[in-house]
């Protein structure tokens, strides 16, 4: 059980610089006395559950969740027009390729350019989110190193902190691994459920067409209707 009498802490703005590392080590040394049982169990080879993490660690985790959610919100807001354009054009792509079965490579290429722009923005957003997680984990390492060193001086634990032992380690959830989930916003903010792809949205179908359409070149003049079909502008 963690003694929380001396562990109350207000986590500052997340920055894995020199001063933040110093503060993390300070909190680790200060909290060590209240973490005796947790550290002793770690020395025996066990890891604490999330419910038993100290407030400093929980604060960092909450801060990363808040910051990554803001990143997503800003990405959607700053690319709102692009998002709407892809949504509307997806219907035209699906209609052209599945209903009319009249492929229009030029229009699909234009659609692919918009999707590529979105994927680039989503990739930057993901990289920034990963940076936040990495910086927080660096501070966690400083915190636990200091707590372990203080406990070792008091003969509460022995040896070095176990390699890879980082209670509260922060990882991005699975939605960050799929760049196109931002175009299917419900997948960003809710877990996937079995069967949800049985009736995919127009966007999901259009993205599938874009990623799997064979590059079949056509020679000669364009077929009648290519210039005036519903997918071209």
């Amino acid at each position: 059980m963690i003694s929380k009498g001396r562990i109350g802490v207000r986590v500052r703005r997340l920055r894995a610089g020199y001063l933040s590392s110093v503060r993390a080590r300070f909190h680790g040394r200060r909290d060590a006395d209240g973490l005796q049982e947790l550290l002793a169990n770690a020395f025996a080879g066990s890891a604490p559950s999330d419910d038993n993490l100290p407030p400093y660690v929980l604060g960092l985790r909450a801060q990363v969740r808040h910051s990554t959610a803001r990143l997503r919100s800003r990405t959607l807001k700053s690319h709102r027009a692009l998002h709407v354009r892809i949504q509307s054009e997806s219907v035209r792509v699906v209609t052209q390729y599945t209903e009319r079965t009249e492929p229009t490579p030029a229009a699909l290429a234009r659609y692919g350019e918009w999707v590529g722009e979105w994927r680039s923005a989503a990739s930057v957003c993901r990289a920034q989110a990963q940076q936040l997680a990495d910086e927080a984990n660096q501070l966690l390492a400083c915190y636990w190193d200091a707590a372990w060193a203080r406990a070792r001086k008091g003969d509460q634990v022995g040896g070095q902190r176990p390699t890879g032992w980082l209670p509260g380690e922060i990882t991005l959830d699975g939605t960050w691994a799929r760049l196109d989930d931002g175009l299917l916003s419900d997948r960003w903010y809710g877990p996937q459920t079995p069967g949800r792809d049985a009736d995919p949205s127009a966007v999901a179908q259009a993205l599938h067409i874009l990623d799997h359409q064979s590059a079949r070149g056509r020679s000669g003049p364009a077929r009648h209707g290519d210039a005036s079909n519903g997918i071209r502008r």
Side-chain angles (χ1 to χ4, degrees):
M1 181 66 66
I2 297 176
S3 173
K4 298 185 179 180
R6 299 181 57 203
I7 304 182
V9 61
R10 178 178 179 272
V11 179
R12 297 174 181 266
R13 182 178 178 182
L14 181 60
R15 286 181 181 175
Y18 174 76
L19 292 179
S20 292
S21 298
V22 170
R23 283 194 293 267
R25 293 182 184 279
F26 166 78
H27 287 301
R29 289 191 296 269
R30 190 195 66 173
D31 296 347
D33 290 341
L35 300 171
Q36 294 182 26
E37 183 177 348
L38 185 153
L39 295 173
N41 290 338
F43 184 66
S46 64
S49 65
D50 288 351
D51 293 336
N52 288 326
L53 292 173
Y56 178 84
V57 176
L58 294 175
L60 280 179
R61 288 162 65 96
Q63 195 166 0
V64 171
R65 285 195 301 270
H66 174 72
S67 297
T68 53
R70 289 186 64 186
L71 279 175
R72 281 179 161 170
S73 176
R74 289 176 178 176
T75 298
L76 286 173
K77 183 177 181 180
S78 61
H79 295 84
R80 179 180 178 277
L82 176 64
H83 194 278
V84 172
R85 187 182 307 144
I86 291 174
Q87 296 284 334
S88 62
E89 197 69 15
S90 293
V91 177
R92 301 185 184 186
V93 169
V94 172
T95 299
Q96 196 68 30
Y97 276 79
T98 64
E99 299 295 331
R100 299 178 181 175
T101 62
E102 297 179 356
T104 52
L108 188 64
R110 183 173 61 249
Y111 177 75
E113 182 179 354
W114 295 334
V115 172
E117 184 178 348
W118 165 261
R119 287 173 175 172
S120 177
S123 180
V124 171
C125 181
R126 179 176 63 183
Q128 292 173 335
Q130 185 61 57
Q131 181 181 358
L132 288 172
D134 291 342
E135 289 176 346
N137 285 331
Q138 182 179 343
L139 295 179
L140 286 178
C142 292
Y143 175 85
W144 288 116
D145 278 343
W148 190 276
R150 175 59 62 89
R152 187 175 57 189
K153 288 183 178 179
D155 295 327
Q156 298 163 3
V157 296
Q160 299 295 323
R161 180 169 67 90
T163 302
W165 186 80
L166 191 65
E169 182 176 6
I170 298 168
T171 57
L172 299 179
D173 63 64
T175 60
W176 288 98
R178 301 182 293 271
L179 296 179
D180 291 343
D181 276 7
L183 298 173
L184 306 163
S185 299
D186 59 324
R187 296 189 184 180
W188 254 7
Y189 298 104
Q192 283 190 297
T193 56
R196 75 181 303 161
D197 292 331
D199 186 20
S201 66
V203 176
Q205 294 181 63
L207 292 174
H208 180 82
I209 292 171
L210 175 65
D211 292 335
H212 296 85
Q213 178 68 20
S214 299
R216 295 175 297 181
R218 293 181 300 169
S219 59
R223 294 186 304 174
H224 176 69
D226 277 0
S228 59
N229 62 60
I231 198 171
R232 294 182 64 88
R233 292 183 177 177

